[in-house]
Amino acid sequence: MLFLVAALLLLGVAMGSVAHAPLPVSLVAAAVIGVWLTVFAVRERHARRRS
């Protein structure tokens, strides 16, 4: 439960930061996070197939 509260608090802080940042900065940050998550997913899938 405490983890959920902390995650929601961090989400609120991140959303507040995005609301005040210029649109190009927000789009670049979103693209970087998307690429990072895609690389993570591919690595996890590859690791599960290997073992």
Side-chain angles (χ1 to χ4, degrees):
M1 183 70 176
L2 186 60
F3 177 75
L4 181 60
V5 172
L8 288 173
L9 179 67
L10 288 173
L11 179 65
V13 170
M15 292 303 289
S17 300
V18 168
H20 295 288
L23 184 61
V25 173
S26 300
L27 292 176
V28 168
V32 168
I33 292 169
V35 168
W36 176 46
L37 288 174
T38 303
V39 168
F40 177 76
V42 169
R43 288 181 61 196
E44 285 294 312
R45 182 177 294 250
H46 183 67
R48 286 185 187 211
R49 286 186 178 174
R50 192 177 349 169
S51 48

